[in-house]
Amino acid sequence: MSFFKKIFSKNKSSNGHKQDMPQVKEIYTEDYFNDRYIEQKLSEDDVLVDGSFKMLESFFLDNKIKPLIAKPIYHPANIDQAVEEEMGFYEYCKLFKQDDKQIGLTLTIAFSYFLISEWDFKLFNDKTPEFPLRFLTLKYNKDGGVISLYPFEYSLKVLNGEAGFSDLFEKLKANLGNIPSASGILQNLKDDLK
């Protein structure tokens, strides 16, 4: 069984004290999970990955901008910088006649690849997403405790100036070690029933 939860929510008990364990959002069986999600393996040889990297590199080269982080080009700070500096990554891609979904997917793939290579996240295609922009999901599994991110939806928020990849990266860096195991969540649920 996999356990899904929101890592950044502020759960409070009725007496105002913060609970030790995060609230469980959903519990899925492995069969349900395997029927719903298809893993998308990303490697530097993939056309989408290579294309995303090249678009970011060409943005910096064409605009004569030095990336904040030398390597990798797909570091969250560099992606944010590309979105915010000069004409911005969106307008730059529009010069190449890219549509909005393609531009969002370029950022999605770059950021997803960073999390995959940095922390062993896995990218999945959701066959039955709750919302249309959540057709892709990044998942991090720590002993059965799983967090989910929606990279395409988040990329659109970044493009709209509502969020930043660096902010999400810092939150993840600070909180990945706090994900409880499935057995810890189960024990907490049992204790609550007593």
Side-chain angles (χ1 to χ4, degrees):
M1 232 182 250
S2 295
F3 294 84
F4 295 77
K5 63 169 196 69
K6 292 181 182 179
I7 193 168
F8 305 116
S9 63
K10 293 183 179 177
N11 300 319
K12 297 193 181 217
S13 62
S14 58
N15 62 8
H17 291 86
K18 205 171 187 178
Q19 294 178 349
D20 292 333
M21 297 294 285
Q23 184 179 0
V24 175
K25 182 180 176 199
E26 299 170 310
I27 298 174
Y28 290 144
T29 64
E30 288 181 14
D31 288 338
Y32 176 84
F33 183 89
N34 292 334
D35 287 341
R36 181 173 175 177
Y37 297 101
I38 301 167
E39 186 174 357
Q40 304 297 307
K41 302 256 185 196
L42 294 181
S43 72
E44 287 189 29
D45 299 331
D46 290 348
V47 173
L48 282 175
V49 174
D50 185 55
S52 295
F53 294 173
K54 285 183 178 171
M55 281 304 293
L56 284 168
E57 288 170 353
S58 65
F59 172 83
F60 286 108
L61 288 172
D62 291 347
N63 289 291
K64 296 175 179 56
I65 300 171
K66 182 180 177 184
L68 294 172
I69 309 292
K71 288 188 180 191
I73 194 68
Y74 52 89
H75 189 281
N78 291 343
I79 302 171
D80 286 344
Q81 182 184 16
V83 169
E84 296 165 2
E85 282 202 26
E86 291 296 321
M87 72 172 71
F89 191 74
Y90 178 82
E91 292 300 327
Y92 179 78
C93 291
K94 283 293 191 182
L95 295 174
F96 294 95
K97 309 272 191 255
Q98 292 184 6
D99 63 28
D100 292 353
K101 187 172 182 177
Q102 192 174 6
I103 297 166
L105 195 55
T106 298
L107 298 180
T108 298
I109 295 300
F111 184 67
S112 296
Y113 189 81
F114 179 82
L115 293 182
I116 290 166
S117 61
E118 188 78 13
W119 288 317
D120 202 29
F121 271 76
K122 292 187 179 178
L123 182 65
F124 294 92
N125 186 346
D126 187 345
K127 292 181 192 174
T128 56
E130 295 173 23
F131 302 100
L133 297 178
R134 294 184 174 183
F135 63 94
L136 289 175
T137 181
L138 281 163
K139 297 192 179 293
Y140 179 81
N141 185 332
K142 180 183 174 192
D143 301 323
V146 178
I147 61 167
S148 298
L149 306 172
Y150 303 102
F152 186 77
E153 182 179 57
Y154 197 82
S155 293
L156 297 183
K157 287 181 179 182
V158 172
L159 284 168
N160 286 323
E162 300 167 8
F165 287 114
S166 295
D167 296 334
L168 181 56
F169 171 61
E170 292 302 322
K171 284 181 182 178
L172 288 169
K173 191 164 49 169
N175 288 291
L176 280 183
N178 299 330
I179 300 171
S181 66
S183 59
I185 293 172
L186 189 56
Q187 186 59 50
N188 190 42
L189 291 173
K190 286 179 184 178
D191 292 345
D192 285 348
L193 290 174
K194 291 181 182 176

